[in-house]
Amino acid sequence: MNDELNEEELDLEEEVIELEDENGNVIKFKLLDVTEYKGEKYTLLLAAEPNEEIGEDEVVIFRLNEKDEVLEPIEDERLLEEVFEYYQIEAEAAEEAEDEDY
């Protein structure tokens, strides 16, 4: 995928991020979250529209390169699993902390 982003797309307040695949097709994603794992930032994305390549409930993870304002694909399956597991633990802890506040 050609993962260059403009500044508006990198703004975490934006709901939809558009990325272009290797065939020039635009794929729209919803930003689920950004998490930091082992000193790197990662974006967790969900498909914003039905797509043959990406399931509706499938999370797609990219490394966030803030310096170059790009999302970098991750080829290492183990790293992808580690980042997702870390995100789930952090999200669960945040949810429990919110529940305790009420």
Side-chain angles (χ1 to χ4, degrees), residues 46-58:
L46 297 169
E49 299 174 340
N51 183 314
E52 292 177 14
E53 296 176 30
I54 303 166
E56 194 174 316
D57 59 349
E58 184 177 347

Side-chain angles (χ1 to χ4, degrees), residues 61-72:
I61 302 172
F62 289 95
R63 182 177 291 111
L64 175 59
N65 180 331
E66 292 178 297
K67 179 182 171 208
D68 296 331
E69 296 183 344
V70 295
L71 295 179
E72 301 170 343

Side-chain angles (χ1 to χ4, degrees), residues 4-18:
E4 291 187 32
L5 300 175
N6 63 38
E7 288 178 331
E8 293 96 34
E9 290 172 325
L10 194 57
D11 183 356
L12 300 181
E13 298 300 315
E14 293 290 317
E15 280 192 26
V16 176
I17 295 173
E18 294 183 353

Side-chain angles (χ1 to χ4, degrees), residues 16-44:
V16 176
I17 295 173
E18 294 183 353
L19 300 178
E20 193 173 298
D21 70 11
E22 59 275 355
N23 299 320
N25 300 315
V26 173
I27 301 173
K28 294 181 181 182
F29 292 95
K30 291 181 184 176
L31 180 64
L32 176 61
D33 206 348
V34 174
T35 191
E36 189 167 333
Y37 177 71
K38 292 186 177 180
E40 299 271 355
K41 286 188 179 178
Y42 297 90
T43 60
L44 291 92

Side-chain angles (χ1 to χ4, degrees), residues 81-98:
E81 289 175 16
E82 287 177 10
V83 171
F84 187 66
E85 286 176 19
Y86 177 79
Y87 164 74
Q88 288 179 308
I89 291 167
E90 290 295 304
E92 191 173 295
E95 190 174 302
E96 288 175 7
E98 284 181 19

